[in-house]
Amino acid sequence: MKIIEIEGAKELTGTIRVSGAKNATVALIPAAILTDEEATICNVPEITDTEALVDILKLLNVKVSRASESIVINPQEMINTEITEPYSKKLRASYYFMGALLGKYKKAVMYFPGGCSIGARPIDLHLKGFEALGATITSDKNKYIVEAEELHGANIYLDIASVGATINIMLAAVKAKGTTIIDNAAKEPEIVNVATFLNNMGAKITGAGTSSIKIEGVDKLHKCFHEVIPDRIEAGTYLIIGALCGKNLKIDNVITEHIDSLLSKLEEVGVKLEIGRDYITVLDHERKYKTTNIKTATYPGFPTDLQQPFTVLLTQANGKSKITETIWENRFMHVPYLKLLGADIEVKNQTATIIGPTELKGAEVVATDLRAGAAMVAAGLIASGKTTITNVEHILRGYEQIIEKLSDVGAKITLKEI
Ligand code: UD1
């Protein structure tokens, strides 16, 4: 079992470089099988979610080679075989193989995906989209067989602006006959990154980043070279850590407009930032913070994935703050552990009320999911004494070299195998 130990209450100073975006990478890797040639993707983060997807590629007899931050994917000898349950369940994003295999072979056989337990996480919108494109779906318990004689363009309205459904339908539609329109599409930057990748391979997608995406089907996709965008959630996590214990902590390789909603909340509570072209520095200042109220929303609203780390910052604000979660019904599992560290938080329905400032003291806590884990790290960094985090596999799924990055700026943090 792996654990993280943190000796808290140290000031962090220096530069943290943000890696490639997890949520873009996990869609780009499955998307790469749509080419008939070879795809090279660079700025790929070394996280366990990437490894799990590479394992699926290998299961499908796809040639994969990695050199530093690049990955070369060659599906020329690929075999469309069933993605068995252990592979499907390793991560949420395995479901992107459903859209990609359907788009390429008109057939995908796999199981319900895994991922963090932050809500029911159904895939009904993905399946409805595939059906609209002409696929039939047979499901037996957790197993899904999605197949079509022919895929044709369709007008699809998503009941919820789902990131996963938007990308998955795009993957299935790129080689369909005719034109597909996805309305009420999600607008997250990762969707734009995936659409750009597919267009680099010869797809005809317009409107990605807006709520209406148009996909004109093409017959073939060719070779391409592509770069993963910087991870806005990783950047946001380190900015929040900077606000908690940074002293001129520079977060480098950031597309600042991707985190506008976070930046305005940080500024509202009193965090002093220097915002550069591709970096943001949390300036050295007295950490006296004001309260705020936050409601998570789809992009460009405040990201649900930063709600948990931001809660830690609000434990240090003077007075009562509220965070309302609107995307996931089970995303307050970090709260009992923050309380164990000394925070004053009550959750009612989908709203957490946080009263600060509270002194946090080290304790044994659990990373119940990926971003809850990030919240535990943030809390451990300001808590006095030692914080031990278990279930850290969740954290390692999404944060590349988190131990090294934080150690380099002065944190006393170690990953141990026990
Ligand atoms: C993605 C992100 C995740 C982030 C989330 C919301 C990845 C790999 N993960 O997750 O980090 O928290 O977006 O920004 O990119 N829904 C349905 N039916 C469906 C699909 C979704 O009801 O078929 C609901 C979900 O239960 C949830 C909401 O729609 O309440 C949003 O989910 P979605 O945008 O699909 O999230 P993911 O793509 O799973």
Side-chain angles (χ1 to χ4, degrees):
M1 184 175 77
K2 288 190 171 88
I3 60 164
I4 289 177
E5 280 181 359
I6 303 173
E7 284 289 339
K10 309 271 184 280
E11 276 189 333
L12 307 187
T13 186
T15 302
I16 296 180
R17 189 174 166 79
V18 173
S19 301
K22 164 189 162 297
N23 286 351
T25 302
V26 297
L28 292 167
I29 292 175
I33 65 159
L34 283 160
T35 177
D36 298 306
E37 298 173 2
E38 183 178 272
T40 304
I41 309 171
C42 68
N43 202 27
V44 173
E46 267 187 54
I47 48 177
T48 51
D49 267 11
T50 308
E51 287 166 24
L53 290 168
V54 167
D55 287 344
I56 297 179
L57 289 177
K58 289 181 176 162
L59 177 78
L60 297 170
N61 205 40
V62 176
K63 282 209 183 104
V64 192
S65 56
R66 256 204 103 147
S68 68
E69 289 176 345
S70 297
I71 184 165
V72 182
I73 298 171
N74 186 328
Q76 279 168 325
E77 288 167 24
M78 183 174 171
I79 300 165
N80 185 17
T81 181
E82 170 178 321
I83 301 175
T84 53
E85 194 158 20
Y87 285 89
S88 302
K89 272 179 75 174
K90 263 224 170 132
L91 76 169
R92 179 77 182 157
S94 62
Y95 61 27
Y96 288 131
F97 278 101
M98 235 185 227
L101 288 171
L102 181 66
K104 190 176 176 101
Y105 294 105
K106 319 262 181 299
K107 183 168 181 180
V109 185
M110 64 174 290
Y111 289 76
F112 195 81
C116 292
S117 307
I118 50 179
R121 310 194 83 175
I123 57 166
D124 55 312
L125 300 172
H126 306 230
L127 301 177
K128 268 164 83 177
F130 299 151
E131 281 175 331
L133 296 171
T136 52
I137 292 147
T138 322
S139 64
D140 178 19
K141 293 194 191 111
N142 276 339
K143 183 173 175 175
Y144 291 84
I145 301 172
V146 187
E147 55 193 333
E149 294 241 320
E150 188 182 83
L151 292 172
H152 53 74
N155 287 350
I156 298 166
Y157 178 87
L158 295 179
D159 296 331
I160 301 171
S162 150
V163 175
T166 302
I167 293 179
N168 231 344
I169 294 167
M170 236 164 47
L171 298 179
V174 276
K175 293 178 96 180
K177 295 239 170 322
T179 302
T180 299
I181 308 274
I182 310 174
D183 276 321
N184 196 30
K187 297 184 275 208
E188 271 68 0
E190 293 75 22
I191 294 167
V192 181
N193 200 221
V194 175
T196 307
F197 176 55
L198 293 168
N199 283 342
N200 285 345
M201 294 199 285
K204 286 190 179 163
I205 303 172
T206 51
T210 75
S211 58
S212 185
I213 300 179
K214 181 175 168 189
I215 305 140
E216 289 174 70
V218 296
D219 288 336
K220 280 178 93 60
L221 294 179
H222 52 70
K223 197 173 171 132
C224 90
F225 178 86
H226 184 74
E227 188 170 346
V228 183
I229 50 169
D231 195 313
R232 64 194 167 97
I233 305 300
E234 188 197 8
T237 304
Y238 288 129
L239 281 168
I240 292 166
I241 288 174
L244 286 163
C245 55
K247 187 176 179 189
N248 292 323
L249 184 71
K250 182 176 176 183
I251 313 302
D252 202 9
N253 193 32
V254 185
I255 300 179
T256 59
E257 58 266 35
H258 286 177
I259 46 171
D260 274 345
S261 58
L262 171 70
L263 297 180
S264 64
K265 280 296 167 189
L266 287 173
E267 285 175 337
E268 187 185 323
V269 300
V271 182
K272 301 266 180 301
L273 303 169
E274 180 194 321
I275 302 176
R277 206 177 59 82
D278 59 356
Y279 71 89
I280 301 168
T281 302
V282 183
L283 299 172
D284 181 21
H285 58 81
E286 206 186 351
R287 294 183 200 101
K288 283 206 160 156
Y289 294 135
K290 290 177 281 197
T291 58
T292 188
N293 294 332
I294 288 177
K295 210 178 210 183
T296 62
T298 53
Y299 188 82
F302 191 92
T304 166
D305 289 354
L306 288 175
Q307 173 263 103
Q308 292 154 300
F310 206 93
T311 306
V312 182
L313 181 58
L314 293 179
T315 68
Q316 303 308 304
N318 191 15
K320 190 199 282 183
S321 300
K322 283 182 191 284
I323 293 189
T324 302
E325 171 60 51
T326 70
I327 312 284
W328 302 112
E329 59 277 22
N330 192 20
R331 216 170 197 185
F332 286 118
M333 287 187 294
H334 55 303
V335 169
Y337 295 105
L338 290 181
K339 287 170 85 164
L340 198 65
L341 294 168
D344 182 353
I345 309 174
E346 287 310 321
V347 179
K348 208 169 174 198
N349 301 321
Q350 285 301 308
T351 298
T353 303
I354 305 127
I355 297 174
T358 45
E359 224 173 86
L360 303 188
K361 290 201 179 78
E364 283 183 23
V365 293
V366 181
T368 53
D369 57 80
L370 169 57
R371 309 300 171 185
M376 292 308 124
V377 171
L381 288 169
I382 56 162
S384 56
K386 184 162 99 178
T387 297
T388 304
I389 310 173
T390 56
N391 271 25
V392 299
E393 283 73 14
H394 283 301
I395 302 174
L396 306 176
R397 279 187 34 231
Y399 288 89
E400 184 180 49
Q401 295 193 318
I402 185 167
I403 306 295
E404 294 80 352
K405 287 185 185 188
L406 287 169
S407 300
D408 284 353
V409 293
K412 291 274 166 285
I413 178 168
T414 45
L415 179 69
K416 287 190 176 160
E417 187 88 51
I418 56 164

